[in-house]
Amino acid sequence: MAVSNNITACVTLLALICAGPVIASGVWFASAQGDECARLARWPVAILGGLLLLSALAGFVGAYWNRRGLLAFYLFAMAALIVLLIALLVFAFAVTRGSGAYPVLGRAYDDYRLDGFSMWLRGYVSDDPARWEKIKACLAVSDTCKKLQRQAAFVNAEQFYQSRLSPLQSGCCKPPSVCGYTYVSPTEWTSPARPAADPDCALWSNHPGELCYECESCKAGLLEALRDQWHKANIALVVATVCLVFLYLIGCSAYKNAQAAAFFRHYK
């Protein structure tokens, strides 16, 4: 019985450690997406990681001090939370499957359009006008486009075209390339050659508070930034999930062995 409890205690201690990457991913989501004015899945991942941490802590206490009630709670709670974590991963992979990026001839950066993303992500920026108004206001006062204007490296148009812009900078800080605007500075463009090529062409403004914040390309750039963040975080979440499932199975086995040992000792 003591050996099984020690094994379970070690397993739950490792589960405590594995909850760390889940919490870290949630905190990173909150900080990174806050900079980009989005609120998609801001805290749910961190909360789920916190619940995993508390469950593993209860299991460790139950195994170390032989509290079967806490061990039973640990096994039940961890099973439920692991299922939720797997469901979150499946959902994240499903809604971030498509990309709205498309290459532009003679440009080092991509342009972006909404129709390349999943219906759920498109709905996030299109279904609620009030939400986009808040995001747009945040972008207007953020450093996203101001940083481009301050960069002295862009002396001429060719240097700008060969720069590596972020999805938000490409979608929100300049007009779509298909419009054929003439480059003046990173956030100032004139004389569109093809004003009817895209509905966004008529929405561009040289005003620093407007730029292309009303453009569909800006919404697409925001979604691409969120998609990139999800893909980076998914690596840590997948590794943590696999480890937690493996540790949970070992914990179940150790708990059953402890129960069997107690049963045989009772009837011996």
Side-chain angles (χ1 to χ4, degrees):
M1 183 71 172
V3 174
S4 295
N5 278 356
N6 289 337
I7 293 174
T8 307
C10 291
V11 167
T12 54
L13 181 61
L14 291 174
L16 277 170
I17 297 172
C18 288
V22 182
I23 298 174
S25 297
V27 173
W28 179 75
F29 264 130
S31 59
Q33 292 178 9
D35 290 341
E36 292 175 346
C37 305
R39 298 295 182 267
L40 180 61
R42 186 175 175 85
W43 288 111
V45 177
I47 292 172
L48 185 57
L51 293 174
L52 286 168
L53 186 69
L54 292 175
S55 300
L57 183 61
F60 177 76
V61 172
Y64 193 81
W65 279 283
N66 194 21
R67 298 291 188 268
R68 294 187 186 179
L70 283 176
L71 279 174
F73 169 78
Y74 159 74
L75 293 174
F76 174 79
M78 284 296 288
L81 292 173
I82 287 172
V83 169
L84 285 176
L85 186 55
I86 292 173
L88 177 65
L89 280 170
V90 171
F91 173 76
F93 277 113
V95 300
T96 60
R97 184 176 51 188
S99 173
Y102 64 95
V104 181
L105 185 64
R107 308 288 193 269
Y109 51 78
D110 290 332
D111 274 9
Y112 299 89
R113 53 180 169 233
L114 274 179
D115 57 8
F117 295 98
S118 65
M119 290 287 292
W120 191 89
L121 278 181
R122 277 184 278 171
Y124 176 75
V125 294
S126 300
D127 289 350
D128 187 356
R131 178 188 294 145
W132 182 251
E133 284 299 316
K134 292 179 182 178
I135 294 174
K136 185 179 70 172
C138 176
L139 287 171
V141 298
S142 73
D143 212 34
T144 302
C145 296
K146 295 175 183 176
K147 189 184 298 182
L148 276 181
Q149 188 64 42
R150 290 197 302 264
Q151 287 179 338
F154 302 139
V155 177
N156 55 51
E158 190 58 32
Q159 289 178 336
F160 179 80
Y161 296 152
Q162 298 308 311
S163 62
R164 297 287 181 179
L165 303 182
S166 70
L168 271 177
Q169 289 174 333
S170 177
C172 304
C173 305
K174 65 170 188 59
S177 301
V178 70
C179 301
Y181 273 84
T182 301
Y183 174 89
V184 178
S185 75
T187 57
E188 185 178 353
W189 302 71
T190 60
S191 307
R194 297 176 294 277
D198 190 287
D200 284 350
C201 298
L203 297 176
W204 168 259
S205 170
N206 286 324
H207 189 282
E210 298 178 12
L211 300 180
C212 219
Y213 296 137
E214 282 289 355
C215 298
E216 296 289 283
S217 65
C218 187
K219 297 177 181 178
L222 178 73
L223 294 185
E224 185 67 21
L226 293 176
R227 180 176 173 274
D228 289 345
Q229 290 174 9
W230 267 105
H231 283 187
K232 292 174 183 176
N234 279 348
I235 297 173
L237 294 177
V238 167
V239 172
T241 302
V242 171
C243 292
L244 285 170
V245 170
F246 179 70
L247 293 172
Y248 178 78
L249 294 176
I250 295 177
C252 285
S253 177
Y255 182 73
K256 288 179 180 178
N257 289 339
Q259 291 287 83
F263 177 81
F264 285 120
R265 189 174 61 254
H266 178 76
Y267 285 99
K268 184 175 180 180

